[in-house]
Structure formats: C-alpha cells, structure tokens
Amino acid sequence: FLSLRAVLLLAMAVGQVAALDFNGRGLGEIPRTLFATAGRLPGQGFKDAKLTRDEMAEMKGKGDLAKNLNRVPILNHNGAVIGQSPAICRYLAKQFNMMGLNDLEAAQIESIVEHVVDIKAAFRKVVPAGKHDLSAAELESKRSVWLETPPTPLLENKGERQLQWFLGQVEILLPGDGFCVGGRPSLADAYLFNILGETAEGLDPSSGEPFGSAEGVTKVLEAFPKLAAVVTTFKASPGMEMYLSTRGPVGF
C-alpha cells in the first residue's frame, strides 16, 4: 500500500518540470491536477507557462513547440519534451506513482480512463462544441436528454446511451472506498474528477461546469455513490484544495 505521503515524496524528487499551454483549462488541466495531488503547485514544484494567442503564434516553429507539431500542451521534464495530453497524463501518473502498483492495476486504471474518453465522445454527439446552428433552447434540451435519461431499460442502440447509462457501468467497477483502483489516487480518479467535479468560476456554465451543469451532474451522482466518493476524495486532497483555491480566473 502506497500512502499519499509516499506519492508526494516521490513527486518532490522528480526534477525540473515545466508545462506549456494556453491560459485556460482544456487539455492541460488533468496534468495540473496530477501535479497538485502529488504536492506540486504552479511556481512551487513546476512551472505552469500559460500562453496568449499572440505568444503562441510567436513561438510557432521554435523551441519546445516545434517538437509537438506546434501545439500545446507540452511538458518539459529536465529538458526532454513530451507532447500530446494523454501521453503527458500517463507519464506524470507514472512519475507520481498514480498508475497502480503492478501491471494489473495499471490496466484497470487505463480501462477507466478509456471509459471517460468514451463518455466525453458520447456527450459531444448529443451536445456539440464549437460552431453549430442550434439555439440556446435546443442546446438546453439536448443537455437535459444527456443528464436526465435513465440508465434502464438498457438501450440496444449505442447512440441512445446517455450519461446515467455510462456512469452505471463505471460504478460497477469501483470498490467504494473513494478511489478507483488500489485504495490511493490514480490517473483514473483525475479523469473522473475532470468530467464530473471540476468547475471554473467566472465562466458561463456551458463551458465552466461539468457537462454544462454542475447542479445537474451533482443530482445525477446521487444515484452513483461510489463515483461521487471518488470525485469528493480527489478534490479534497491538500494539494487539490490548495490548487483550486489559488488557481484564479481562467480563460476557458
């Protein structure tokens, strides 16, 4: 059994780390929560370099950015550059002992992470992002379908499966101790918190709350106590509490 203290001690020995991303949450937010859970905060254990659009344009084709198809986020660990957010997440999780204690636990963690990827993809099939022709009322109606459709009866058409169906399947996998795997924080916990519990004050709910409605997701989680416990436990670690209370305003 690896305590959170052991995770933190390992994290503090990782070395010099810098993250490069836009001034928002986006694809770089899960790595930031991994840093926080391991006791590393921006400016106190790693450098969180957030770019404006103009700064991004100026850096294209140069330095670290050129090593990741001129895209962010990027992780620079002791001079080695890593791109692509899933790769960054997995790398940090391994560095911080948040990928399980053996191959079986690692595979279980990866499985839940991929379930989250499927959930996000299913959501975007119902509620589109970016440019679209839907009115605000139409979007709200689609969001209600996503949040309120019951998990039963089972739907044969995969395209009809909404949030509660997915959460019911993940709930079955969890032990009920506030963690996904192994009784300690893992990458799977971070992914679930990201889609079910992470909010940003000052933004419109459609972009700053889980699936556009923190209230709606909280209500849904009442039926899934194991998932709710994972979200609550991950958010309540000392590092996460400090990070979220000091993060400040974000652009998206």
Side-chain angles (χ1 to χ4, degrees):
F1 181 84
L2 186 69
S3 68
L4 183 57
R5 173 175 169 78
V7 172
L8 186 148
L9 290 175
L10 175 65
M12 298 311 290
V14 166
Q16 298 299 312
V17 188
L20 188 66
D21 197 5
F22 285 122
N23 184 25
R25 296 169 300 155
L27 298 176
E29 194 62 16
I30 293 177
R32 293 186 186 100
T33 64
L34 295 176
F35 275 117
T37 301
R40 285 189 164 217
L41 300 173
Q44 302 176 29
F46 83 101
K47 181 181 178 182
D48 189 9
K50 296 183 178 180
L51 304 176
T52 65
R53 297 285 178 180
D54 289 343
E55 290 170 336
M56 174 77 173
E58 176 64 26
M59 291 182 65
K60 279 192 174 182
K62 305 173 185 176
D64 289 356
L65 205 61
K67 299 177 183 179
N68 187 46
L69 305 179
N70 289 309
R71 300 186 301 189
V72 291
I74 293 170
L75 182 75
N76 184 314
H77 183 196
N78 292 332
V81 175
I82 302 167
Q84 299 288 355
S85 57
I88 293 171
C89 288
R90 285 163 173 78
Y91 179 76
L92 288 175
K94 289 178 181 178
Q95 294 294 309
F96 297 153
N97 268 358
M98 297 174 69
M99 279 300 293
L101 295 183
N102 52 52
D103 289 343
L104 175 59
E105 287 190 354
Q108 292 171 332
I109 291 166
E110 291 268 15
S111 177
I112 293 174
V113 166
E114 293 306 315
H115 292 329
V116 172
V117 172
D118 288 346
I119 292 170
K120 293 171 70 174
F123 173 62
R124 284 307 174 198
K125 290 179 180 178
V126 178
V127 181
K131 294 181 179 180
H132 53 75
D133 297 326
L134 299 175
S135 67
E138 289 172 327
L139 277 177
E140 187 59 30
S141 176
K142 288 180 173 292
R143 199 181 311 279
S144 296
V145 169
W146 173 252
L147 292 170
E148 298 172 10
T149 300
T152 56
L154 295 178
L155 301 173
E156 295 299 327
N157 183 352
K158 293 181 180 180
E160 296 177 353
R161 294 170 178 170
Q162 311 298 335
L163 179 62
Q164 293 186 43
W165 182 89
F166 283 102
L167 297 188
Q169 305 308 302
V170 176
E171 180 87 353
I172 295 170
L173 305 175
L174 303 181
D177 60 356
F179 302 99
C180 287
V181 177
R184 59 196 171 277
S186 73
L187 181 61
D189 303 58
Y191 265 72
L192 285 172
F193 173 77
N194 182 255
I195 65 164
L196 298 174
E198 202 275 324
T199 63
E201 295 183 5
L203 296 181
D204 184 89
S206 64
S207 60
E209 297 183 5
F211 299 119
S213 175
E215 181 180 359
V217 170
T218 298
K219 183 177 180 180
V220 168
L221 285 176
E222 292 176 359
F224 306 102
K226 295 178 184 179
L227 275 163
V230 169
V231 172
T232 299
T233 301
F234 189 81
K235 183 178 181 179
S237 76
M240 279 297 294
E241 286 188 341
M242 178 63 73
Y243 170 64
L244 294 174
S245 67
T246 59
R247 179 176 61 181
V250 292
F252 54 88

